[in-house]
């Protein structure tokens, strides 16, 4: 009841009848001063009350047209079109209701289309009102006829370009580099290319139609597209925001990119794929002819064609094909290496035996290098690798499974070959080193000296009979040997060094018993700790220790070719010297020190000091680390120093602890650079203890470790027992080339 009362009250106030007209005029004035949206809202309420009021129909038409005019034809297309329709409908209604009589009678209801005369009276011309209605209808009619089509074509052009951009982004996501795109181009990629090109061309078609339609009705934009070419994959063709609501619109020519990319793939990639197959066929043919070429002395090094590799690497640095091609190159070299080695199998001279051992070592290294290419091929033989080179893989290897079978068979054969060559090296060196064990004895001054080195013993077990602990041999068969014996008068261990001519006669002989610096008495046990050839003679390090072992010192002595002492230098480092090596490239001595006693224990951690001295005995540098282990020997290879020994516990380059097991030993090889810094570590362990006895370097890349499987015992004598003998071969990279543990 209350709502009904309010309604009739409003009706009574608002009615634009003879008695109520002033109220409407006042309200109309107020309404038209409001924002357009509010004006429309309030007039719409008046229309509900007075649906036949001519003024309301006209004024709504005016307001709707204002909203139409203020709306952007592209950004607010629906709003603009809707208001144009509303304006058209309202003005048509006004055309029917508004006549000259209505305007004259109710000028106040059309005041916004009138003017005040000189007397201040409002005058509204019916012609002005009808002119507005007619011109607006013409304009709106023209817009309504063209707008929807223009807007549809505009939206379609944007839609197709947006789709093209998204397809391009999808391609970028699936193929991070243009190289992968080129090599993985298949029917699926082709379909993506087709869709990308089609969407871009559809964009152009609708854009042209939109611009042609725009010529028939000016929407207030002067738009142009600026087309850029895609030059750089992943850098060009990308847009963070696609904005078609401005006059200058930037777009990428995806269709041209598709055409150019296809052409490049069809020419360059097509030629590459063809060349890979041709090259593989050539390499296989050369491999088949290799033995015959070697016998006819027509053997030539086989190299994968540089142009093929260059073109392949332009697109793929990690291809499946490259290791398969390179393997044939290495396989060809291996055939030559094996045939060369076989020609020396029955060699009898020392020179031929040395060459044979060198060739065997080279063969092992070449097998390792060849095997690595097979490992690469196996790692790259995945779905992506196959898709990139499907035709090559299918035609040359019968598919991805064929590559897997090929790799397994070749690796198995390489492993067998490596074992065979390793056995040959071991047997040759066994024969050579075993002959040293039965070397003759030289008698001098009533004492017998063994040419071969034996295991040294503790001071309390040393007798008057000399024990040879170090042996050097020259190329012409002369020897320098050294060791220890008991000085019965002083009851001390005493050192000796002597030289033997090639016919085993004593050239010179020296004995050493160092004095204790504090008392001047002969009260130090003196051991020969290290012995090495140097230019013009030999260098030796003597270690002196008191009875209780609390006082130790080291002395470097240089002897000339006649055994005369030319230099004596006390060393500041008081640890026990284990090895000394002459470095030809720098004319320096590389010395290792470990522990403070002659005897070593691998169960107790102790420092190892490596030091470099010039030939005047001056310290150049020293480095220190520690581990539980001993030192067997040092090998100088490829300008590095490789310390080889036994260990129970040692830390790797990442400071992680490696253990051989409780009360067990393993073998280690510690690689140092020219400054003594550790650059590599290799450890070998087994379920039983392993220990090294003799290290024999055939070449930088054929380092032999002869040792023992079983409980750890410090031993420098070759173990020939088949049940417990151990043989390992390393190269300077610390790769295990052969192992009797396999």
């Amino acid at each position: 009841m209350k709502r009904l009362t309010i309604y009739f009250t409003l009706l009574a106030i608002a009615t634009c009848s003879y008695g109520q007209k002033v109220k409407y005029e006042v309200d109309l004035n107020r309404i038209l001063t409001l924002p357009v949206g509010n004006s429309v809202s309030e007039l719409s309420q008046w229309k509900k009350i007075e649906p036949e009021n001519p003024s309301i129909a006209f004024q709504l038409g005016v307001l709707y047209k204002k909203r139409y005019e203020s709306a952007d034809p592209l950004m607010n297309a629906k709003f603009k079109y809707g208001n144009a329709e509303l304006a058209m409908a309202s003005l048509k209604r006004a055309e029917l209701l508004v006549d000259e009589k209505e305007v004259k009678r109710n000028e106040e209801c059309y005041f916004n289309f009138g003017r005040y005369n000189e007397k201040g009276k409002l005058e509204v011309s019916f012609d002005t009102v009808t002119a507005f209605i007619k011109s607006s209808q013409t304009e709106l009619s023209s817009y309504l006829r063209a707008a929807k089509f223009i807007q549809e074509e505009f939206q379609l052009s944007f839609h197709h370009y947006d789709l093209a951009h998204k397809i391009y982004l999808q391609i970028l996501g699936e193929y991070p580099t243009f190289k992968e795109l080129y090599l993985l181009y298949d029917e699926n990629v082709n379909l993506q290319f087709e869709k990308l090109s089609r969407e871009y061309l559809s964009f152009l078609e609708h854009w042209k139609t939109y611009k042609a339609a725009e010529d028939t009705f000016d929407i207030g934009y002067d738009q142009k597209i600026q087309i850029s070419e895609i030059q750089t994959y992943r850098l060009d063709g990308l847009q963070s925001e696609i904005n078609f609501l401005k006059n200058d619109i930037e777009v990428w020519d995806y269709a041209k990119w598709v055409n150019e990319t296809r052409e490049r793939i069809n020419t360059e990639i097509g030629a590459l794929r063809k060349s890979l197959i041709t090259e593989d066929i050539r390499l296989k043919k050369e491999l088949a002819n290799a033995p015959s070429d070697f016998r006819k002395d027509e053997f030539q090094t086989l190299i994968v064609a540089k142009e093929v590799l260059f073109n392949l690497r332009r697109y793929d640095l990690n291809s499946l094909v490259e290791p398969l091609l390179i393997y044939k190159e290495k396989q060809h070299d291996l055939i030559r290496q094996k045939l060369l080695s076989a020609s020396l199998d029955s060699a009898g001279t020392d020179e031929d035996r040395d060459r044979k051992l060198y060739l065997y070592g080279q063969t092992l290294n070449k097998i390792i290098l060849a095997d690595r290419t097979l490992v690469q091929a196996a790692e790259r033989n995945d779905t992506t690798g196959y898709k990139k080179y499907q035709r090559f893989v299918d035609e040359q290897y019968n598919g991805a499974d064929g590559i897997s079978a090929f790799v397994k068979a070749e690796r198995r054969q390489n492993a067998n070959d490596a074992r065979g060559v390793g056995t040959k090296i071991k047997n040759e060196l066994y024969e050579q080193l075993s002959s040293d064990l039965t070397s003759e004895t030289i008698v001098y001054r009533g004492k017998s000296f063994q040419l071969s080195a034996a295991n040294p013993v503790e001071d309390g077990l040393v007798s008057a009979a000399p024990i040879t602990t170090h042996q050097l041999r020259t190329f012409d068969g002369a020897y320098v040997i050294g060791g220890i014996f008991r000085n019965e008068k002083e009851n001390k261990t005493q050192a000796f060094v002597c030289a033997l001519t090639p016919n085993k006669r004593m050239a010179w002989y020296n004995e050493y018993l160092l004095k204790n610096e504090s008392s001047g008495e002969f009260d130090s046990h003196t051991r020969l700790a290290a012995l090495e050839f140097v230019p013009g003679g030999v260098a030796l390090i003597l270690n002196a220790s008191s009875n209780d072992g609390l006082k130790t010192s080291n002395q470097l002595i240089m002897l000339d070719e006649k055994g005369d002492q030319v230099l004596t230098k006390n060393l500041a480092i008081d640890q026990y010297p284990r090895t000394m090596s002459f470095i030809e490239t720098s004319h320096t001595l590389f010395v290792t020190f470990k522990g403070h006693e002659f005897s070593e224990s691998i169960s107790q951690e102790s420092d190892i000091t490596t030091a470099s001295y010039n030939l005047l005995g001056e310290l150049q540098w020293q480095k220190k680390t520690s581990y539980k282990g001993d030192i067997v020997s040092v090998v100088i290879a490829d300008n590095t120093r490789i310390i080889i020994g036994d260990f129970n516990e040692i830390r790797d380059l990442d400071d992680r602890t490696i253990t051989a097991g409780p009360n067990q030993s393993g073998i280690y090889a510690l690689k140092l650079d020219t400054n003594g810094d550790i650059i590599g570590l290799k450890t070998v362990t087994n379920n039983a203890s392993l220990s090294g006895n003799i290290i024999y370097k055939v070449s930088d890349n054929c380092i032999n470790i002869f040792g023992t499987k079983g409980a750890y015992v410090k031993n420098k004598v070759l173990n020939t027992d088949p049940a417990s003998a151990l043989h390992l071969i390393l190269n300077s990279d610390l790769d295990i080339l052969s192992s009797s543990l396999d």
Side-chain angles (χ1 to χ4, degrees):
M1 188 67 177
K2 187 176 181 181
R3 291 182 182 176
L4 188 61
T5 302
I6 294 172
Y7 173 80
F8 281 114
T9 301
L10 178 63
L11 179 63
I13 294 173
T15 303
C16 190
S17 61
Y18 178 79
Q20 308 291 330
K21 185 166 59 175
V22 174
K23 299 273 185 186
Y24 176 73
E25 292 173 6
V26 173
D27 207 23
L28 182 61
N29 264 288
R30 181 187 63 81
I31 290 172
L32 294 183
T33 61
L34 297 174
V36 175
N38 293 348
S39 298
V40 169
S41 178
E42 294 210 16
L43 277 178
S44 296
Q45 293 299 322
W46 279 106
K47 183 181 177 182
K48 291 178 182 178
I49 298 169
E50 293 190 40
E52 301 300 322
N53 189 320
S55 173
I56 293 174
F58 176 75
Q59 295 294 355
L60 276 173
V62 173
L63 291 172
Y64 284 134
K65 187 169 184 289
K66 281 185 178 181
R67 291 210 301 192
Y68 148 79
E69 290 172 340
S70 66
D72 188 281
L74 299 179
M75 293 179 65
N76 308 111
K78 289 184 178 180
F79 182 78
K80 188 178 185 73
Y81 192 86
N83 278 280
E85 287 184 317
L86 290 171
M88 192 71 174
S90 293
L91 292 173
K92 280 185 178 180
R93 178 75 175 158
E95 187 179 27
L96 296 174
L97 297 176
V98 178
D99 55 19
E100 188 172 2
K101 185 178 179 181
E102 159 67 18
V103 173
K104 285 183 178 181
R105 186 170 60 235
N106 298 304
E107 284 182 320
E108 295 85 352
C109 293
Y110 303 92
F111 73 91
N112 47 332
F113 280 81
R115 62 185 182 82
Y116 290 91
N117 61 22
E118 61 276 6
K119 296 180 180 182
K121 182 182 178 182
L122 176 67
E123 294 179 348
V124 179
S125 169
F126 173 69
D127 291 340
T128 302
V129 173
T130 55
F132 173 78
I133 293 174
K134 294 295 183 184
S135 64
S136 295
Q137 285 178 326
T138 302
E139 178 187 342
L140 291 169
S141 178
S142 176
Y143 170 76
L144 290 172
R145 282 195 305 272
K148 186 167 286 190
F149 180 72
I150 291 173
Q151 182 61 25
E152 285 177 355
E153 290 302 310
F154 175 80
Q155 289 289 354
L156 283 171
S157 67
F158 173 82
H159 171 73
H160 286 292
Y161 184 78
D162 185 55
L163 275 179
H165 182 254
K166 287 175 179 176
I167 295 168
Y168 183 72
L169 288 180
Q170 183 180 355
I171 293 171
L172 292 183
E174 293 178 12
Y175 309 98
T177 67
F178 77 89
K179 297 176 181 180
E180 290 187 71
L181 174 64
Y182 288 7
L183 292 172
L184 289 170
Y185 188 87
D186 57 10
E187 186 56 33
N188 290 329
V189 182
N190 183 57
L191 291 175
Q192 285 181 295
F193 272 33
E194 288 283 355
K195 190 175 180 182
L196 174 60
S197 180
R198 185 168 60 250
E199 294 297 338
Y200 178 78
L201 292 175
S202 294
F203 145 69
L204 285 181
E205 180 182 347
H206 286 288
W207 180 264
K208 290 175 182 176
T209 305
Y210 156 67
K211 291 299 292 180
E214 191 188 24
D215 291 341
T216 65
F217 183 84
D218 184 11
I219 63 171
Y221 275 81
D222 183 20
Q223 290 184 303
K224 297 176 183 178
I225 55 173
Q226 298 175 356
I227 302 176
S228 300
E229 295 183 8
I230 298 174
Q231 302 288 346
T232 306
Y233 190 72
R234 295 198 72 81
L235 292 180
D236 296 338
L238 301 172
Q239 289 177 256
S240 58
E241 180 184 16
I242 300 174
N243 185 2
F244 273 31
L245 301 175
K246 56 184 182 178
N247 284 331
D248 295 321
I249 301 171
E250 301 89 6
V251 297
W252 294 99
D253 194 338
Y254 294 118
K256 185 174 183 180
W257 177 78
V258 165
N259 293 336
E260 290 178 348
T261 303
R262 272 187 179 146
E263 183 180 358
R264 191 170 182 183
I265 289 171
N266 291 334
T267 54
E268 294 185 22
I269 303 302
L272 171 63
R273 286 173 172 154
K274 184 178 179 180
S275 71
L276 293 176
I277 293 174
T278 302
E279 182 65 4
D280 196 63
I281 292 172
R282 181 185 77 85
L283 295 173
K284 285 179 178 177
K285 182 179 178 181
E286 292 294 331
L287 276 174
N289 294 334
S292 173
D293 291 342
F294 183 84
R295 286 191 296 270
K296 293 186 291 185
D297 200 23
E298 296 176 355
F299 195 96
Q300 293 184 349
T301 302
L302 180 64
I303 299 175
V304 179
K306 291 182 179 179
E307 183 180 358
V308 172
L309 280 183
F310 175 78
N311 289 331
L312 177 59
R313 289 168 180 168
R314 281 179 62 198
Y315 297 102
D316 196 351
L317 292 174
N318 296 291
S319 71
L320 167 61
V321 175
E322 182 171 342
L324 293 171
L325 298 177
I326 296 295
Y327 178 71
K328 294 177 180 64
E329 179 182 296
K330 295 185 181 300
Q331 206 177 10
H332 190 264
D333 192 28
L334 262 176
I335 292 173
R336 175 180 175 275
Q337 198 73 29
K338 290 175 183 177
L339 292 172
L340 278 173
S341 301
S343 67
L344 292 172
D345 277 347
S346 58
T349 66
D350 289 344
E351 184 178 345
D352 284 344
R353 276 196 296 268
D354 289 344
R355 176 166 169 73
K356 177 169 58 176
L357 285 170
Y358 175 81
L359 289 174
Y360 286 161
Q362 289 294 97
T363 301
L364 280 178
N365 279 277
K366 290 178 185 296
I367 289 174
I368 289 292
L369 292 175
D371 200 63
R372 284 177 182 166
T373 62
L374 291 174
V375 172
Q376 281 186 334
E379 290 173 346
R380 298 175 185 179
N381 186 28
D382 53 18
T383 303
T384 301
Y386 172 70
K387 285 179 66 178
K388 286 181 180 179
Y389 308 100
Q390 183 172 350
R391 181 184 168 193
F392 174 89
V393 174
D394 288 345
E395 290 187 14
Q396 300 304 107
Y397 291 92
N398 295 319
D401 290 341
I403 288 180
S404 296
F406 170 77
V407 168
K408 287 179 181 177
E410 289 297 312
R411 294 200 70 193
R412 187 164 49 247
Q413 182 60 52
N414 287 340
N416 290 335
D417 290 345
R419 276 192 293 272
V421 176
T423 299
K424 287 182 178 181
I425 293 174
K426 179 184 71 175
N427 292 340
E428 286 287 337
L429 291 177
Y430 263 1
E431 182 179 347
Q432 180 176 328
L433 295 172
S434 295
S435 65
D436 291 343
L437 297 178
T438 57
S439 63
E440 58 191 294
T441 300
I442 306 300
V443 179
Y444 181 72
R445 294 182 182 176
K447 294 180 180 180
S448 297
F449 298 88
Q450 294 286 334
L451 281 181
S452 59
N455 290 320
V457 297
E458 299 287 346
D459 291 331
L461 299 177
V462 177
S463 67
I467 301 173
T468 301
T469 57
H470 295 76
Q471 180 208 76
L472 302 176
R473 186 177 181 180
T474 64
F475 69 93
D476 61 353
Y479 288 86
V480 175
I481 62 174
I484 55 175
F485 65 91
R486 168 68 61 177
N487 182 319
E488 294 181 327
K489 179 181 177 181
E490 300 293 335
N491 195 28
K492 302 293 181 185
T493 300
Q494 186 165 356
F496 74 89
V497 177
C498 61
L500 303 174
T501 63
N503 59 2
K504 309 301 187 296
R505 293 185 178 277
M506 191 67 71
W508 51 261
Y509 175 82
N510 295 339
E511 293 180 351
Y512 302 94
L513 191 61
L514 298 183
K515 296 180 180 181
N516 183 285
E517 293 183 0
S518 61
S519 64
E521 299 295 330
F522 291 98
D523 60 356
S524 294
H525 292 290
T526 304
R527 286 180 173 272
L528 176 64
L531 183 67
E532 176 67 309
F533 282 127
V534 293
V538 294
L540 57 114
I541 299 178
L542 300 176
N543 175 261
S545 62
S546 60
N547 286 334
D548 57 12
L550 297 177
K551 296 179 180 179
T552 60
S553 61
N554 296 307
Q555 191 174 92
L556 173 65
I557 297 176
M558 298 286 188
L559 305 178
D560 62 16
E561 293 177 349
K562 296 179 180 180
D564 294 330
Q565 196 163 304
V566 294
L567 175 72
T568 300
K569 184 80 172 182
N570 291 324
L571 304 181
I573 301 173
D574 63 355
Q575 291 173 273
Y576 193 90
R578 302 296 173 181
T579 65
M580 177 169 56
S581 307
F582 175 66
I583 311 298
E584 292 186 12
T585 54
S586 59
H587 268 235
T588 57
L589 292 171
F590 174 71
V591 183
T592 63
F593 303 83
K594 196 170 193 305
H596 286 84
E597 298 178 359
F598 154 72
S599 59
E600 295 179 275
S601 171
I602 64 167
S603 63
Q604 294 182 348
E605 183 162 340
S606 61
D607 290 339
I608 172 176
T609 300
T610 56
S612 176
Y613 297 91
N614 62 24
L615 295 184
L616 296 176
E618 296 169 335
L619 181 66
Q620 306 295 296
W621 53 257
Q622 70 179 64
K623 299 292 172 67
K624 185 176 290 188
T625 186
S626 65
Y627 55 89
K628 295 179 182 179
D630 63 17
I631 298 174
V632 175
S633 185
V634 169
V635 173
I636 308 302
D638 285 339
N639 206 27
T640 64
R641 295 95 171 102
I642 301 174
I643 303 171
I644 300 173
D646 312 312
F647 80 98
N648 172 259
E649 189 174 284
I650 194 169
R651 284 177 290 277
D652 65 13
L653 273 65
D654 296 320
D655 205 33
R656 294 175 298 194
T657 300
I658 302 172
T659 59
N663 301 316
Q664 287 193 320
S665 62
I667 294 175
Y668 74 88
L670 193 65
K671 185 176 180 179
L672 312 180
D673 63 14
T674 55
N675 297 316
D677 294 319
I678 298 172
I679 57 174
L681 173 68
K682 173 69 72 175
T683 59
V684 181
T685 57
N686 197 28
N687 51 11
S689 283
L690 306 176
S691 55
N693 305 140
I694 294 178
I695 313 301
Y696 190 98
K697 173 185 165 183
V698 170
S699 66
D700 284 355
N701 288 311
C702 185
I703 303 165
N704 292 262
I705 303 173
F706 292 95
T708 300
K709 295 179 289 184
Y712 170 79
V713 177
K714 186 69 175 179
N715 191 347
K716 287 190 175 182
V717 178
L718 181 67
N719 180 6
T720 57
D721 178 12
S724 62
L726 170 69
H727 180 229
L728 303 171
I729 303 178
L730 306 180
N731 61 18
S732 60
D733 292 327
L734 305 187
D735 298 316
I736 297 179
L737 306 181
S738 178
S739 171
S740 60
L741 295 172
D742 296 338

